[in-house]
Amino acid sequence: MRTSIVLLILFSFISFASAIPCTFTDGRGRYYDLSSASNCNGSTYVGKDSKNWEYYINICQEATSPCPEKGQAVCQGSGGQYYGLGSVFDLSFSELSSGEGVVLTYNNGEFCYPTNAPRESIISISCNSGVEFRVTSVRESPTCVYNIAAESKHACPTSKGPQKVTCITPLQQMLNGFLVPHSHDDVGWLTTVNGYYDGAVRSIISTAVENLVRNPSRKFIYVEQAYFHKWWTDASISDQQRDNVRKLLQNKQLEFIIGGWCMQDEACSTYSADVDQNTQGHQFIYDTFGEAYNPKYGWQIDPFGPTSVTATLQSFMGFKGHIIDRITYSIKDQLKSTRSLEFWWNTNPSLGNASRVFTHILDDNYCEPMGEGFDFEGGATPVTPSNIRARAEQFVSLIRQRAPFYRTNNILLPWGCDFHFVNATKQFENMDQIVKYIQDHAAEYNVNLKYSLLSEYYEAAMGSGVVFPERDSNDFMPYADGPDAWWTGYYTSRVNLKGLIREAEHISRAADTLYATTPTANRNVSQPVAFDMLNISRYALGISQHHDAVSGTSKDFVAQDYRNWLELGSANAHTLSETLLNSLASKGGNAPSFSNFTTQALNLQPGKTLVVVVYNSLGWTRSEFVRVPLNRNDVTVTDSNGGKVAFEVHNAQGTSEGKYDLFIGTTIKALGFQTYFVTAGAVNSKPVDTPLINEVGDYVLENSYLRVTVSSTTGTISSIQNKKSGISNTLNHNVLAYHSYTGSGQRSGAYIFRTTGPAQPLSSRAPTNTPQGQIVQSLYQVFPGDTAQSYYKQNIRLYNAGGDENFENFIDISHEIGVIPEDHEVISRFSSNIQTGGVIYTDNNGFATQKRTYDSTLPIPANYYPNVYWSYIEDSNARLSIASERSHGVSSQAPGSVEFMLHRRTSSDDSRGVDEPLDDTDITHPVLRLVYETPANSDLLRYKQVYSVNFPLSLYYATANSPSDWTSRYQTSYSPLSGDLPPNVHLLSLKTRDSKSNTLILRLTHLFAADEKPANLAAPAVVDLKALFSGYTIGNLVETTLTINQVVNSNPGLTITLGPKQIRTFLLTLSK
């Protein structure tokens, strides 16, 4: 056994030390070996260009002094300042266009700021049998491409054989192993948050702290502040243990990484929820330990595919680096082969260098080397004097195996896994011996090893002088860990939980903004009590962003625990909102009593008036219809001035609380409320059966903006027209289901989507259609199922408000789906004649847009992507945008088509750890909102509808004798702002910071990317805070990082400018 280990070490060393391949066979079969042109002792001076820049190159090897950057094959400079022009690790060969010779292209040189791209060198070497090596010309292009012409006898064809020259370059240094102990503590998965804490996490943190105190060379990193906060406030934890934590932080033995409430999912979570849950954790760290211990590094090692938005947000948090793991196996293999597992990720082109993040991808997975026999609490063979050399050499071999995949001699070694270090004593006492043995034999193994914090690794890697590759803003979605194992099912799994999380976010936001803008004297609730109520909601939302929560990949009883927390949080937020609305509506000592429950609406008596208060938590005035369930249809609606209001009563259809649905056209100012009165006992308001039927029997839904035709043959949408823009397209709507694969091998389950073939229609029969409404044109459709049960129903609505585009420029499709049969993955597909070329655009976390191109070489699930807020398809004339109020999987399986997976249920487990099928028997009610416009006019509409559908108007109810009685006693409207925010600026946050001070958190987001339309909205936006909050005195204004744990500008001024996609964060006070 020992012999085989020694041989493995030797093999790994030789593999790492061997030269970069320097042979090439051209298209005519000619073989070239340029290795003899390599300078094993350093770089070769080749002369100066017309601008007097000096050039040094090497062939297939690193160019050393005077080139300062490690890993560069070409450099340029003068006067001691040199720039790398191409990485030795990013070398490609091609054929000389004429004659015999070879072209070497080196990519990923140092960053060229004029072009916002890395430098590139192209060395064209022609065959000249009489010349050793000679450069004939050097040209620099304006785009930082360097063309070097040369001639050499080594660029002549030769006979095939082993590469002639193998250099041991300065890159082959002693390896530095950074051993980072960690425990990956899921905030719920196979058991609940509390179950994990009581069963493992309390012991993990306690024994880790205890063992770090015993030995100052030991280190540990920790991520999930939902658990660390629980441990810190645990009555069983002593003051001495807490003091030990402070000392360990000071001694740089303990480090907080990410520092959010959880390690969030990246596919299904919104950027606003990610900001909030990270703020919770960072605020706890800041308030408890101080700014010196702010997290500075990302550690997204387990989410199932990384988005660029996570890294963008971390750049706004002031992070210095980002670590990811789960990317598709074939992509990881390719990056390993080019030593590109570390790179600069240019995560958002609109933000430029401000969002450029140094990123490291783990070469295997975050549990290594635990799986190689070093999990001592999990049964690994203990280290003894008799086996210490063999165990140490085994560990050295693991370091050597990693080394060829990275460009520096610094090797990151995560040591931990899910809920490891419950017995930290056993872990450290064994590993201490291995670490010491390797340290004592460093010269023999050519390896240094030490316990390390993540920051120590990053400082070494980023300070190595190596020029790392540049990556554009493309994400790593979707993720696959095998040929038929595409993790695209979880984009839709447990769709009701996804919807509840999004609903809780909007309810929490309403309470936050109401509390922040209600004058202190009017709150009628103490700040500690209010903050406790808000914190329950924030806690629930924080844990539900975990990558096994919003993803829908936990066990069923754990999903129910998330639901319980969310419902409790929402109940507290509603109660606080009711209290604040009661205060704001009070007049002369009279205060109403509002409730968010619809009980009063469903029990409205003749001669009585239902009072409906509508609150808007967004920073713009909104004109929208709201729906109120009623027990009667003989009602009339007026506003707070007694004026007429557009309204309509419909017969309730599908699952509804009441017998009727009342639709009211409302206009609500930014962050304000408005009162409407529904009085019983008026004329019978039962609507006529519209929409209209045209001359061929099709249903037509039409307002001044849009015309939607529903075919009499298929019973579904067949075309769409934008009357204002003069565009029209076919738009065939179909409801289908993929059948989950249940055979041998990889099955479809909570994580993985695998289908037996293309999606099949639910039925060959057309749906039944029930039309009604004139102001709210509605078509209720019941689709026959492929079983005896009809489990798919939907309501198409188009609003007709006399030409007001705010009401009319979209189509709502609300669904009732379930209980669906086993092994069904149900989709809604729209097929059009829009010339998309196989391209669909989807969002990342509701913040940025990604272009996706259909890949016909991959299976159906591989062409699915996450939709959080929006997706769209387009050509030069038309764009169809679709907004959702929860996350779904989305795809374009054919040119001109877009499909949303709305529900899924499988009979199998997919063998990824949850160990139960996704047996989701819920009935779900997702909503899709369609916007149809020209590309030039679509972006603003899309953003407005996205935020409207995700942060709907909030309704609260009371009962009055009459409208006049109510208006005489109470205030009927309120808005704290003097006007609206600019249309391209979103009020991301306005909330109280803590339970003691009056400090508020204000975040503003520029919605537009730099290339979106119109150009004036993609330009910098200006917000005048003094004018916006004209009724308040603004005090103590400072600008901070995104998660408010570091001051960026102590005097930012009251006029705020935001560039495209910029988020700016402030702390301030507002007083009347």
Side-chain angles (χ1 to χ4, degrees):
M1 184 67 172
R2 178 178 173 182
T3 303
S4 65
I5 293 174
V6 174
L7 288 175
L8 176 60
I9 296 169
L10 181 61
F11 174 79
S12 297
F13 178 78
I14 292 172
S15 172
F16 179 59
S18 62
I20 293 168
C22 205
T23 60
F24 170 66
T25 302
D26 68 17
R28 286 172 280 182
R30 297 178 298 190
Y31 179 76
Y32 298 84
D33 184 344
L34 283 85
S35 62
S36 296
S38 300
N39 184 347
C40 291
N41 297 314
S43 55
T44 300
Y45 173 67
V46 299
K48 299 181 180 180
D49 65 11
S50 59
K51 298 178 182 178
N52 221 31
W53 288 102
E54 296 177 347
Y55 286 81
Y56 291 81
I57 70 171
N58 208 340
I59 303 299
C60 306
Q61 296 297 332
E62 178 188 22
T64 56
S65 180
C67 301
E69 299 293 345
K70 294 180 182 178
Q72 294 291 296
V74 187
C75 76
Q76 169 207 64
S78 66
Q81 185 172 0
Y82 289 82
Y83 301 95
L85 308 184
S87 169
V88 69
F89 301 113
D90 291 290
L91 167 62
S92 61
F93 296 90
S94 59
E95 204 172 325
L96 202 64
S97 59
S98 62
E100 296 177 332
V102 182
V103 178
L104 287 74
T105 301
Y106 290 102
N107 293 302
N108 280 315
E110 284 194 73
F111 204 68
C112 174
Y113 290 100
T115 62
N116 204 35
R119 291 174 166 88
E120 174 185 322
S121 292
I122 302 172
I123 306 176
S124 302
I125 312 174
S126 60
C127 170
N128 186 335
S129 58
V131 176
E132 179 70 24
F133 187 88
R134 179 172 62 204
V135 171
T136 58
S137 69
V138 180
R139 282 186 303 109
E140 176 185 0
S141 78
T143 57
C144 293
V145 176
Y146 303 83
N147 290 279
I148 300 172
E151 53 187 7
S152 173
K153 66 182 182 180
H154 304 299
C156 298
T158 185
S159 57
K160 287 192 176 183
Q163 186 167 306
K164 296 174 184 176
V165 175
T166 297
C167 297
I168 304 300
T169 77
L171 288 172
Q172 320 311 323
Q173 306 168 52
M174 177 175 281
L175 297 178
N176 300 314
F178 292 80
L179 183 62
V180 179
H182 75 99
S183 181
H184 176 60
D185 296 344
D186 289 302
V187 183
W189 179 37
L190 304 181
T191 191
T192 64
V193 177
N194 288 338
Y196 273 135
Y197 178 76
D198 292 334
V201 176
R202 181 191 287 111
S203 181
I204 289 168
I205 299 174
S206 294
T207 64
V209 168
E210 176 186 342
N211 277 272
L212 298 186
V213 169
R214 287 178 188 167
N215 184 342
S217 71
R218 295 170 177 168
K219 308 289 178 75
F220 198 76
I221 65 170
Y222 200 76
V223 172
E224 296 86 0
Q225 295 308 302
Y227 285 133
F228 207 91
H229 175 270
K230 189 179 285 286
W231 182 87
W232 189 261
T233 56
D234 188 331
S236 70
I237 302 304
S238 68
D239 289 340
Q240 182 61 57
Q241 288 174 291
R242 297 185 184 94
D243 288 341
N244 286 341
V245 168
R246 291 192 171 94
K247 291 174 184 176
L248 293 172
L249 288 167
Q250 292 168 6
N251 295 342
K252 297 186 178 179
Q253 290 179 259
L254 176 65
E255 185 172 53
F256 295 122
I257 302 300
I258 302 181
W261 221 233
C262 66
M263 186 184 297
Q264 77 259 16
D265 174 68
E266 299 197 40
C268 305
S269 59
T270 65
Y271 79 101
S272 52
D274 289 347
V275 170
D276 286 343
Q277 71 90 11
N278 276 291
T279 301
Q280 277 186 282
H282 291 189
Q283 199 171 334
F284 163 67
I285 293 169
Y286 179 90
D287 290 345
T288 308
F289 306 110
E291 184 178 329
Y293 307 109
N294 286 346
K296 292 296 182 186
Y297 299 95
W299 180 258
Q300 291 290 110
I301 56 172
D302 198 26
F304 324 126
T307 69
S308 55
V309 168
T310 299
T312 299
L313 295 179
Q314 290 180 352
S315 72
F316 287 139
M317 296 173 198
F319 279 25
K320 298 179 179 179
H322 181 56
I323 287 184
I324 57 179
D325 179 20
R326 291 187 187 267
I327 68 171
T328 294
Y329 66 102
S330 57
I331 297 174
K332 183 175 281 193
D333 288 345
Q334 185 219 345
L335 294 175
K336 287 162 74 171
S337 71
T338 59
R339 289 184 172 177
S340 298
L341 290 175
E342 290 181 317
F343 51 87
W344 287 99
W345 198 354
N346 297 281
T347 63
N348 193 295
S350 297
L351 293 164
N353 289 332
S355 65
R356 187 169 174 257
V357 179
F358 184 67
T359 304
H360 174 109
I361 302 177
L362 299 180
D363 67 287
D364 194 347
N365 67 73
Y366 66 86
C367 288
E368 299 299 333
M370 300 299 266
E372 301 293 337
F374 297 98
D375 176 13
F376 300 105
E377 65 181 346
T381 303
V383 178
T384 65
S386 63
N387 69 12
I388 178 61
R389 183 173 178 84
R391 300 310 307 277
E393 290 176 350
Q394 182 187 4
F395 203 92
V396 167
S397 74
L398 293 173
I399 299 174
R400 286 291 180 199
Q401 288 171 29
R402 275 184 160 83
F405 306 136
Y406 298 94
R407 300 191 179 195
T408 81
N409 62 327
N410 303 296
I411 309 302
L412 177 64
L413 303 163
W415 179 41
C417 199
D418 296 1
F419 300 98
H420 280 203
F421 288 83
V422 172
N423 187 341
T425 301
K426 186 176 287 189
Q427 295 286 80
F428 279 115
E429 287 183 351
N430 281 274
M431 187 57 80
D432 285 351
Q433 299 174 66
I434 294 174
V435 171
K436 185 178 187 306
Y437 191 90
I438 294 173
Q439 288 173 342
D440 291 345
H441 296 78
E444 176 185 351
Y445 295 133
N446 207 31
V447 168
N448 285 317
L449 180 66
K450 67 173 185 176
Y451 289 123
S452 173
L453 301 177
L454 186 60
S455 58
E456 295 176 75
Y457 170 76
Y458 263 111
E459 287 163 6
M462 296 174 71
S464 65
V466 167
V467 176
F468 295 98
E470 302 281 339
R471 179 180 173 84
D472 62 19
S473 61
N474 286 332
D475 64 10
F476 289 94
M477 295 290 181
Y479 165 60
D481 59 2
D484 294 312
W486 292 92
W487 294 45
T488 55
Y490 82 94
Y491 302 158
T492 306
S493 296
R494 298 196 188 279
V495 69
N496 265 5
L497 177 60
K498 287 172 163 62
L500 186 61
I501 291 169
R502 200 72 65 84
E503 181 184 10
E505 187 180 355
H506 113 73
I507 293 169
S508 180
R509 174 190 172 88
D512 271 321
T513 53
L514 265 171
Y515 186 77
T517 57
T518 300
T520 304
N522 295 52
R523 284 175 178 167
N524 284 351
V525 58
S526 71
Q527 186 154 329
V529 170
F531 194 75
D532 284 348
M533 297 171 79
L534 291 169
N535 249 4
I536 294 172
S537 180
R538 293 177 186 181
Y539 172 84
L541 282 166
I543 64 173
S544 65
Q545 305 312 311
H546 171 62
H547 56 268
D548 282 304
V550 67
S551 60
T553 54
S554 70
K555 282 190 175 292
D556 186 68
F557 80 94
V558 179
Q560 185 57 53
D561 188 64
Y562 291 128
R563 290 188 188 97
N564 293 343
W565 277 109
L566 289 162
E567 289 167 359
L568 178 62
S570 292
N572 276 269
H574 271 312
T575 299
L576 180 59
S577 293
E578 290 163 359
T579 301
L580 296 169
L581 286 169
N582 292 341
S583 299
L584 290 170
S586 63
K587 183 196 297 185
N590 296 320
S593 180
F594 290 115
S595 171
N596 72 293
F597 292 109
T598 58
T599 306
Q600 295 173 86
L602 296 173
N603 290 284
L604 181 59
Q605 300 301 311
K608 293 293 185 180
T609 294
L610 176 69
V611 181
V612 183
V613 165
V614 185
Y615 176 70
N616 171 19
S617 68
L618 296 180
W620 316 290
T621 299
R622 298 161 69 178
S623 294
E624 299 175 17
F625 278 92
V626 297
R627 184 184 68 86
V628 178
L630 289 178
N631 63 333
R632 58 195 313 124
N633 64 357
D634 56 338
V635 296
T636 188
V637 182
T638 55
D639 63 19
S640 55
N641 296 316
K644 292 182 179 180
V645 175
F647 75 95
E648 192 163 73
V649 179
H650 286 200
N651 295 311
Q653 294 163 323
T655 302
S656 179
E657 296 171 86
K659 185 177 179 182
Y660 302 98
D661 285 331
L662 168 65
F663 294 90
I664 307 173
T666 68
T667 297
I668 315 296
K669 291 183 179 180
L671 300 188
F673 73 78
Q674 185 60 259
T675 306
Y676 295 87
F677 300 106
V678 181
T679 302
V683 296
N684 188 309
S685 300
K686 182 178 179 181
V688 296
D689 286 342
T690 54
L692 300 177
I693 299 178
N694 67 13
E695 61 276 4
V696 294
D698 297 338
Y699 287 114
V700 177
L701 291 79
E702 185 172 12
N703 58 27
S704 62
Y705 198 92
L706 294 171
R707 178 184 172 96
V708 179
T709 302
V710 176
S711 167
S712 60
T713 303
T714 64
T716 58
I717 294 174
S718 59
S719 68
I720 188 169
Q721 177 186 359
N722 186 308
K723 297 157 66 176
K724 297 284 188 180
S725 298
I727 57 173
S728 61
N729 284 97
T730 60
L731 186 67
N732 294 309
H733 179 231
N734 292 284
V735 178
L736 310 98
Y738 290 105
H739 291 237
S740 309
Y741 181 81
T742 59
S744 60
Q746 182 60 62
R747 297 176 176 179
S748 200
Y751 300 92
I752 291 170
F753 167 38
R754 189 180 181 193
T755 176
T756 58
Q760 301 299 313
L762 297 195
S763 174
S764 59
R765 293 174 292 151
T768 59
N769 289 301
T770 306
Q772 60 178 325
Q774 295 174 326
I775 296 174
V776 179
Q777 298 178 24
S778 168
L779 196 64
Y780 180 66
Q781 302 182 305
V782 178
F783 287 78
D786 49 1
T787 64
Q789 179 186 12
S790 295
Y791 55 84
Y792 190 107
K793 308 173 183 70
Q794 67 180 26
N795 213 322
I796 306 169
R797 291 194 180 102
L798 187 68
Y799 302 94
N800 189 354
D804 188 334
E805 292 185 8
N806 292 302
F807 292 96
E808 297 188 353
N809 54 25
F810 62 91
I811 305 153
D812 273 342
I813 305 181
S814 56
H815 302 83
E816 181 181 316
I817 308 171
V819 175
I820 65 173
E822 283 188 338
D823 298 316
H824 277 51
E825 318 208 18
V826 179
I827 66 167
S828 176
R829 178 183 291 167
F830 299 91
S831 303
S832 74
N833 61 346
I834 298 174
Q835 304 300 302
T836 64
V839 172
I840 184 174
Y841 297 85
T842 71
D843 71 323
N844 265 175
N845 307 102
F847 182 77
T849 300
Q850 291 275 335
K851 179 181 178 180
R852 319 288 195 180
T853 302
Y854 183 78
D855 189 338
S856 61
T857 68
L858 295 175
I860 289 168
N863 285 286
Y864 256 78
Y865 299 94
N867 176 99
V868 175
Y869 272 176
W870 72 77
S871 294
Y872 63 83
I873 56 174
E874 68 175 4
D875 58 20
S876 59
N877 296 314
R879 179 187 294 178
L880 177 67
S881 305
I882 303 180
S884 68
E885 37 69 87
R886 67 192 76 192
S887 67
H888 297 282
V890 68
S891 184
S892 178
Q893 293 289 328
S897 78
V898 56
E899 65 187 50
F900 279 70
M901 187 174 287
L902 299 181
H903 204 351
R904 60 195 305 263
R905 180 186 180 194
T906 71
S907 64
S908 301
D909 174 57
D910 53 17
S911 303
R912 291 305 183 275
V914 74
D915 199 28
E916 66 181 30
L918 182 70
D919 188 23
D920 189 347
T921 58
D922 284 352
I923 297 173
T924 187
H925 298 87
V927 175
L928 299 178
R929 180 165 288 184
L930 281 60
V931 174
Y932 177 68
E933 251 294 359
T934 62
N937 293 332
S938 287
D939 290 318
L940 179 59
L941 277 177
R942 168 170 50 88
Y943 283 125
K944 289 184 71 173
Q945 297 308 332
V946 156
Y947 284 95
S948 173
V949 79
N950 279 279
F951 298 97
L953 296 168
S954 302
L955 306 187
Y956 292 87
Y957 304 100
T959 303
N961 291 321
S962 67
S964 59
D965 178 54
W966 185 273
T967 56
S968 67
R969 300 171 62 193
Y970 307 116
Q971 302 287 347
T972 56
S973 63
Y974 169 80
S975 177
L977 305 183
S978 61
D980 288 359
L981 284 169
N984 54 354
V985 176
H986 169 51
L987 180 69
L988 179 58
S989 308
L990 184 59
K991 59 201 308 182
T992 185
R993 183 199 183 279
D994 54 57
S995 63
K996 298 176 182 177
S997 71
N998 290 320
T999 302
L1000 302 178
I1001 305 167
L1002 170 67
R1003 293 189 184 96
L1004 299 172
T1005 302
H1006 194 307
L1007 294 175
F1008 276 61
D1011 60 350
E1012 291 184 320
K1013 300 291 186 295
N1016 66 306
L1017 293 182
V1022 178
V1023 177
D1024 184 339
L1025 295 182
K1026 184 177 181 180
L1028 188 69
F1029 293 102
S1030 62
Y1032 295 84
T1033 299
I1034 300 174
N1036 305 316
L1037 179 70
V1038 297
E1039 184 172 5
T1040 71
T1041 51
L1042 185 63
T1043 51
I1044 63 167
N1045 58 1
Q1046 185 177 342
V1047 173
V1048 173
N1049 187 345
S1050 60
N1051 187 22
L1054 294 172
T1055 302
I1056 308 301
T1057 301
L1058 297 103
K1061 284 300 172 189
Q1062 187 178 14
I1063 303 175
R1064 294 185 66 180
T1065 305
F1066 304 90
L1067 294 176
L1068 74 161
T1069 59
L1070 293 175
S1071 57
K1072 281 283 190 179

